[in-house]
Amino acid sequence: MAWIVYILCAVIAFTCCVLLLRGYRKSKARLLLWSGLCFAMFTLDNMILFIDKVVIPSVALSPWRTSVPLIGIIFLLYGLVWEAK
């Protein structure tokens, strides 16, 4: 049953990513770009979580699961700090 939650989280994060990047393409607001990239990393994180817990549970992918969303948060932080000027 948990695998359904993992897939739904990945689908929702991917949907947010697509909507944010589509909004960026139309309005050219750079904060939408950085937010879209952040959600792209969250999507990748959820896919890695699914692989780690469901597909191959014997392999520890926890370093990847912690570094990928960190990169996404760095994207968003960069967008918030440097694009606000």
Side-chain angles (χ1 to χ4, degrees):
M1 189 67 171
W3 63 273
I4 295 173
V5 175
Y6 300 147
I7 291 175
L8 284 175
C9 288
V11 168
I12 291 171
F14 180 72
T15 304
C16 290
C17 171
V18 168
L19 290 173
L20 286 166
L21 292 177
R22 203 170 77 182
Y24 167 71
R25 192 176 64 190
K26 289 182 183 179
S27 70
K28 299 298 182 202
R30 302 220 0 126
L31 187 58
L32 290 174
L33 171 67
W34 298 114
S35 299
L37 292 175
C38 178
F39 272 94
M41 293 295 114
F42 290 164
T43 303
L44 184 60
D45 175 49
N46 284 314
M47 292 184 335
I48 292 171
L49 176 67
F50 177 77
I51 291 170
D52 187 24
K53 297 293 182 182
V54 177
V55 178
I56 46 173
S58 60
V59 177
L61 296 177
S62 59
W64 291 99
R65 283 192 1 236
T66 55
S67 62
V68 169
L70 179 63
I71 293 169
I73 291 171
I74 290 171
F75 281 147
L76 186 60
L77 186 62
Y78 176 81
L80 287 171
V81 171
W82 295 106
E83 297 299 328
K85 292 182 179 181

